[in-house]
Amino acid sequence: MAESFQAPKGTRDILPPESGRWQALVAVFAGVVGRAGYGLIQSPLFEDIGVFQRLGEGTEVVRKEMYDFHDKGNRHLALRPEGTAPVVRAFNQHRPTVPWKVWYLTPCFRYEEPQAGRFRQHHQVGLEAIGSPDPDLDVEVIALQHDFYRALGLNHLSLRLNSMGNPHDRRAYAQKLAAWLDRRRDHLDEADRVNAADHPLRVLDSKRERTRVAVADAPLITDCLSEGAATHFERVQAGLDALGIAYRIDPRLVRGLDYYTHSTWEFAAGNLASAQNAVGGGGRYDGLAEALGGKPTPGVGFGAGIERILMAADAENALLGDAGGLDVFVVDVTGGDAGRDLTFELRRNGISADRAFDNRSMKAQMKVADRSGARLALLVGDDELASGSVTVRDLRSGGHQTALTRGDAVAGVAERLAGNESMRTESTEDLA
Ligand code: HAM
C-alpha cells in the first residue's frame, strides 16, 4: 500500500457536522458587522514577507513563528500570521475613501507549539476600520465584538481594556520600564532577562512566577499617558459605559502584536484554561499604515479565533448547531428516475433535499433517510409509480403518512414543512 498521510502537525480538518457550527458562527458575524456597514475583504493568503516584518521584531509571531518561503521567482513571501497587516497593505494600495470598514474570515499561520486551543493554522473572523482617530470608532469596534459573542449565546466572557497611549507615550513608557527593569534584573526569571532591554513590555506580560513578583510594582502605562491619550481613553470608557458593556481596566494587558497605540483589549472566556482563554483581541494601530509605506492613517480593529470561540461555546452549551437541517429525503425503489427528478424539483423550489444512491432496497434507503435528520421522507415504490403519486412520511412524528399526487408533491411538501396541515390528502394512515 502507498504511504498514507495525516493533516500536518498543529492543523485540523473541519468536517460536517462541526463545520455546520462554523457556518452558523460566520453567518452571525456577517450579520452583526454587515448591519454596521462593514464589507467583506478577500486578499491573498501570502504577502511579501516585509508586510509582516514591519509589524515589529518585538512580535514573537514575526520573529519566531512565520511560515515564510521563496517562490520559484525567488520572491520572499510569508503565509499570513494575522489579518490586520494584509488589510492595511490593501488600504495603502487602493486608497479607498475613509473610514474604510471591512471584515474578514481567514486562516492564520503561526509556527507555535500545538496544544489545546493553539494551532499552527487557526481561523479568525475580524474587522478593521481605517481612517479615523475618533475614540467613538474604538467603541464601535469593541461593541461589535461584544455583540457578536452575545449573538452567539456566549455569556461568560470578560473584557480587559488598556491604553498604550500615542506612539510617543508608548516609546517613552518602554524606555522608562526598561530602565526600571534594568535596576531589578537580578530579580527577574532568567528567561525574561533577555527581553528586558529590547522588549520590556513583554516582560510585564510574563507568566513566570519569579518575574511576576518582581514586576508587581513596575511603572504602569496608564500613569504615563499624555493628555490627548488620556482624553481618548476616557472617551472610550464613557462609550462602553453608555452601551452597557462591562470591562476591567488592566494596565498590564500587553498584547502579542507590537503595533498597538491607544486602546487595546482582549475578551477571555471564563470557562477555559488561561493559556487559551483569549477568544479575541484588538486595538488601535495608528502607526501601521505609515510603517507599511503609506500615508499616516489611523486604524482600529479586532480578530477573534473561531476554534477558541467554539471551545467556549461548548463549555456554555451555546451554538449547538441545527441537528438535521435537511427538509426531505427522497426514497425511490423503482430504478431512480423518479428520485432524481423529484430531488431536483424540490431543491429548485427552495426545499433542501437529499436522496439515496445505488438502487438499494426500501429498508436500506429508509435507514439512510432516518440517519439524515430530514423531517420528511418522500417515497416512490411500484404502487406510487403506477398511480402517479408519492407517499410523504413524517420522520419525526412516528411515521405519519399521507399520499400526494406526483404533480402536487412539491407544493404539498412545502405546505407540510410550513406546518400547514390542511393540505389535500388522498389517504391518511398512522403507522404503528
Ligand atoms: P491575536 O490576539 O494575535 O490578534 O489573535 C486574535 C485571536 O486569534 C486570539 O484572541 C485567539 O482567539 C486567536 N488565536 C491566535 N493565535 C491562535 C492559535 N495559535 N491557535 C488558535 N487560536 C489563536 C491578532 O491577530 C490581531 N490581528 C487582532 C487585531 C485586528 N488587532 C487589530 N485588528
Side-chain angles (χ1 to χ4, degrees):
M1 267 210 308
E3 184 193 354
S4 68
F5 298 99
Q6 305 257 313
K9 182 176 175 185
T11 70
R12 289 192 318 144
D13 301 310
I14 316 296
L15 310 175
E18 191 195 353
S19 52
R21 298 175 76 209
W22 277 56
Q23 283 180 289
L25 180 152
V26 173
V28 168
F29 187 81
V32 169
V33 304
R35 282 191 291 279
Y38 290 75
L40 177 69
I41 178 171
Q42 284 278 97
S43 65
L45 283 189
F46 55 86
E47 297 272 356
D48 188 301
I49 192 167
V51 170
F52 304 114
Q53 280 167 338
R54 305 269 177 90
L55 296 180
E57 283 298 315
T59 301
E60 288 219 340
V61 167
V62 173
R63 236 179 333 144
K64 298 189 189 152
E65 300 175 356
M66 208 109 81
Y67 274 92
D68 64 313
F69 60 98
H70 287 88
D71 74 3
K72 296 186 201 303
N74 210 28
R75 297 172 192 87
H76 196 181
L77 304 168
L79 299 183
R80 55 169 63 178
E82 59 101 54
T84 308
V87 170
V88 175
R89 194 271 308 145
F91 175 85
N92 284 345
Q93 183 175 335
H94 303 287
R95 302 300 307 164
T97 48
V98 296
W100 194 50
K101 308 211 296 190
V102 292
W103 70 272
Y104 47 82
L105 160 66
T106 184
C108 296
F109 306 89
R110 300 181 184 181
Y111 194 81
E112 306 212 55
E113 213 30 68
Q115 47 177 285
R118 191 170 296 281
F119 303 97
R120 290 186 173 171
Q121 176 177 337
H122 74 276
H123 298 79
Q124 293 185 16
V125 285
L127 60 78
E128 313 294 342
I130 301 183
S132 166
D134 190 333
D136 281 4
L137 195 54
D138 308 34
V139 174
E140 167 168 304
V141 169
I142 299 171
L144 288 172
Q145 192 178 356
H146 169 271
D147 287 5
F148 160 57
Y149 296 130
R150 272 294 156 87
L152 293 176
L154 296 178
N155 295 310
H156 298 290
L157 300 185
S158 59
L159 166 60
R160 285 186 302 150
L161 177 67
N162 193 13
S163 171
M164 305 307 296
N166 63 35
H168 174 79
D169 299 342
R170 188 185 165 126
R171 257 191 318 273
Y173 172 65
Q175 275 168 13
K176 184 171 171 177
L177 184 62
W180 189 92
L181 289 171
D182 191 49
R183 290 196 296 276
R184 286 160 186 80
R185 224 184 128 70
D186 295 343
H187 301 282
L188 302 177
D189 189 292
E190 242 184 278
D192 288 313
R193 283 178 206 163
V194 283
N195 272 334
D198 295 336
H199 311 296
L201 296 175
R202 278 290 97 71
V203 179
L204 209 57
D205 196 32
S206 172
K207 305 268 183 291
R208 298 181 184 94
E209 189 54 26
R210 187 148 182 232
T211 301
R212 286 170 70 97
V213 173
V215 301
D217 53 353
L220 299 175
I221 178 78
T222 36
D223 298 326
C224 304
L225 297 181
S226 58
E227 202 183 319
T231 309
H232 184 108
F233 197 31
E234 277 157 25
R235 175 81 192 165
V236 171
Q237 293 168 50
L240 295 177
D241 292 341
L243 295 179
I245 295 172
Y247 58 90
R248 183 166 65 80
I249 293 176
D250 182 356
R252 284 166 194 282
L253 172 67
V254 177
R255 305 219 336 99
L257 295 152
D258 275 352
Y259 48 60
Y260 293 114
T261 56
H262 295 287
S263 310
T264 115
W265 65 87
E266 202 156 88
F267 281 87
N271 40 31
L272 296 182
S274 68
Q276 68 274 349
N277 69 354
V279 291
R284 194 167 257 293
Y285 43 84
D286 290 350
L288 189 55
E290 197 178 0
L292 287 174
K295 284 194 204 142
T297 314
V300 56
F302 73 81
I306 296 182
E307 289 85 355
R308 300 272 181 90
I309 295 172
L310 290 178
M311 284 166 70
D314 283 340
E316 285 198 41
N317 275 333
L319 195 75
L320 295 176
D322 179 11
L326 203 61
D327 296 322
V328 180
F329 197 92
V330 178
V331 170
D332 172 11
V333 290
T334 66
D337 289 4
R340 176 195 60 213
D341 299 348
L342 260 174
T343 307
F344 266 90
E345 212 177 310
L346 289 162
R347 291 172 182 166
R348 287 172 173 167
N349 282 281
I351 295 168
S352 61
D354 200 1
R355 52 166 288 196
F357 292 92
D358 305 324
N359 250 326
R360 295 164 70 197
S361 70
M362 172 68 87
K363 195 172 160 207
Q365 292 194 38
M366 278 311 298
K367 227 174 163 172
V368 187
D370 281 328
R371 260 206 318 260
S372 75
R375 270 181 66 188
L376 304 175
L378 272 193
L379 314 180
V380 183
D382 292 331
D383 291 350
E384 284 86 354
L385 197 64
S387 64
S389 66
V390 296
T391 297
V392 187
R393 183 182 294 184
D394 193 322
L395 294 173
R396 302 214 186 141
S397 64
H400 179 262
Q401 285 201 166
T402 49
L404 294 168
T405 63
R406 176 66 179 78
D408 286 343
V410 170
V413 164
E415 276 183 57
R416 170 61 77 90
L417 290 170
N420 186 342
E421 293 300 324
S422 69
M423 68 185 197
R424 257 174 303 139
T425 57
E426 287 168 359
S427 68
T428 302
E429 57 182 303
D430 276 312
L431 294 185

